[in-house]
Amino acid sequence: MSTSTGKIVRIHSTGAPDVLKYEDLEIGPPKAGEVQVEHKAIGLNFIEVYWRTGVYPLPLPTSIGNEGAGIVRAVGEGVKDFQVGDRVAYGCGPLGSYCTVRNMPTHPLVKIPDAIDFDTAAAMMLKGFTAQYLLRRVYKVQAGETILFHAAAGGVGTIATQWAKSLGVRVIGTVSTREKAELARANGCAEVIITSEENVVKRVKELTDGKGVPVVYDSVGKATFVESLDCLKPRGMMVSFGNASGKVDPVPLQWLVERGSLVLTRPTVASFTADKAEMLESAAEMFGVVASGAVKIQINQRFALADVVKAHTKLENRCTTGSTVLIP
């Protein structure tokens, strides 16, 4: 297989969305242990804003993105689990999904069931893996519990709240606008708190007869961290899994004592997908809830890969809901 051409989005410096550059790509055949994937859809996630702006530093220049779906076009020496023509998707790196075609190791790849199309797969992998580990591994929610989920109308939120409801969990979701509140209710939230209009802690206590919740899932970060702690019942768990509003300041351990022996964790999807068998188990459960209809992947925005600057601008300004995909 000779060298072929394509397109790639790279950053040569960190900053505003316009640092994303749509460039030509030359790519050779896959090496041993690799496959070449021709992308049909690429997932867009808020973590890519962190990479672009330098919140999470990367060596430059680089391509970003770690979620995509497409077709295997070539296989390298020693690859046995995949063959040319396989429909595949991934949601846990390595970085570089912002391109039309790429060579990559087989570890992150999973085969897409026939019932799942490329756009859906690209929109659900990272967010679906995240929802899975949050609800089923970090804190295994139980039927009858009431939980608090911040940013309930976002990409992870719309998946996780549907999933939690299907498990018999009562979800209190937070959103920033009335429009997003309607979306959150449609996706399984029994109660929705509009953060621009209501006091989150006061409302959560009202909705739980003063007890608080056993777990809070918080991807907002700095702006909501303390109030999230205050929403927990004694011995509850604070799951901080994102920094959309900025990094959380150092936390005095005494805060956890004062609020009743709280548990604080800061998980990341990489820790729950590093083991191939565990990742495949998570993927099977994730595909299962989507195929059953219990969780519907809502792709509310589509952008051409060439329009990635526009896509990042919308994402960073909180102008998106549900999932967003880039189309090569």
Side-chain angles (χ1 to χ4, degrees), residues 205 211 225-226 228-236 251-264:
K205 290 299 177 68
K211 297 176 182 177
F225 185 82
V226 176
S228 291
L229 293 180
D230 290 337
C231 289
L232 286 164
K233 62 172 59 173
R235 294 164 54 187
V251 180
L253 290 179
Q254 189 64 25
W255 285 5
L256 308 181
V257 176
E258 293 166 353
R259 290 167 172 81
S261 301
L262 301 183
V263 176
L264 168 62

Side-chain angles (χ1 to χ4, degrees), residues 179-210:
E179 291 75 17
K180 289 184 176 181
E182 293 179 12
L183 181 62
R185 289 190 184 92
N187 283 293
C189 287
E191 308 287 347
V192 180
I193 300 170
I194 302 172
T195 55
S196 58
E197 300 179 6
E198 301 173 89
N199 181 292
V200 174
V201 178
K202 180 180 178 182
R203 189 73 182 117
V204 167
K205 290 299 177 68
E206 289 173 352
L207 293 169
T208 58
D209 298 323

Side-chain angles (χ1 to χ4, degrees), residues 43-158:
L44 185 72
N45 297 280
F46 206 91
I47 192 171
E48 287 134 39
V49 173
Y50 302 155
W51 291 323
R52 192 203 77 225
T53 58
V55 172
Y56 293 168
L58 295 172
L60 299 175
T62 187
S63 179
I64 58 174
N66 60 359
E67 182 178 46
I71 297 174
V72 174
R73 290 306 187 199
V75 298
E77 183 181 351
V79 173
K80 294 182 172 57
D81 295 338
F82 299 93
Q83 59 187 7
V84 173
D86 281 348
R87 300 169 68 251
V88 296
Y90 59 95
C92 48
L95 299 189
S97 66
Y98 282 22
C99 60
T100 57
V101 61
R102 70 182 301 198
N103 296 327
M104 61 184 298
T106 60
H107 173 85
L109 293 172
V110 298
K111 294 179 182 178
I112 306 172
D114 292 341
I116 308 287
D117 61 34
F118 289 118
D119 283 17
T120 300
M124 71 181 281
M125 295 302 295
L126 180 59
K127 291 175 279 290
F129 275 136
T130 301
Q132 198 276 343
Y133 84 70
L134 291 174
L135 298 175
R136 311 297 287 155
R137 297 187 188 277
V138 172
Y139 180 95
K140 195 164 186 177
V141 296
Q142 304 293 324
E145 287 185 319
T146 297
I147 68 172
L148 178 63
F149 207 103
H150 285 292
V156 174
T158 54

Side-chain angles (χ1 to χ4, degrees), residues 159-324:
I159 295 174
T161 53
Q162 292 178 78
W163 200 333
K165 182 183 179 181
S166 76
L167 296 170
V169 175
R170 178 188 180 221
V171 182
I172 303 171
T174 73
V175 297
S176 58
T177 67
R178 294 186 180 188
E179 291 75 17
K180 289 184 176 181
E182 293 179 12
L183 181 62
R185 289 190 184 92
N187 283 293
C189 287
E191 308 287 347
V192 180
I193 300 170
I194 302 172
T195 55
S196 58
E197 300 179 6
E198 301 173 89
N199 181 292
V200 174
V201 178
K202 180 180 178 182
R203 189 73 182 117
V204 167
K205 290 299 177 68
E206 289 173 352
L207 293 169
T208 58
D209 298 323
K211 297 176 182 177
V213 294
V215 63
V216 176
Y217 296 106
D218 188 340
S219 63
V220 178
K222 186 172 184 176
T224 54
F225 185 82
V226 176
E227 69 182 25
S228 291
L229 293 180
D230 290 337
C231 289
L232 286 164
K233 62 172 59 173
R235 294 164 54 187
M237 178 179 283
M238 169 64 179
V239 185
S240 177
F241 69 101
N243 309 310
S245 66
K247 287 185 177 180
V248 175
D249 293 327
V251 180
L253 290 179
Q254 189 64 25
W255 285 5
L256 308 181
V257 176
E258 293 166 353
R259 290 167 172 81
S261 301
L262 301 183
V263 176
L264 168 62
T265 184
R266 180 60 173 88
T268 178
V269 68
S271 301
F272 292 85
T273 54
D275 180 82
K276 181 77 174 189
E278 189 174 52
M279 185 190 73
L280 291 175
E281 181 183 311
S282 297
E285 185 175 16
M286 182 172 68
F287 285 139
V289 295
V290 173
S292 73
V295 173
K296 294 177 173 61
I297 305 300
Q298 296 166 22
I299 303 171
N300 294 339
Q301 299 82 209
R302 285 178 173 85
F303 298 89
L305 181 60
D307 292 330
V308 66
V309 171
K310 184 187 299 183
H312 264 243
T313 300
K314 293 285 189 182
L315 179 66
E316 193 169 15
N317 290 331
R318 309 289 197 278
C319 297
T320 64
T321 57
S323 295
T324 303

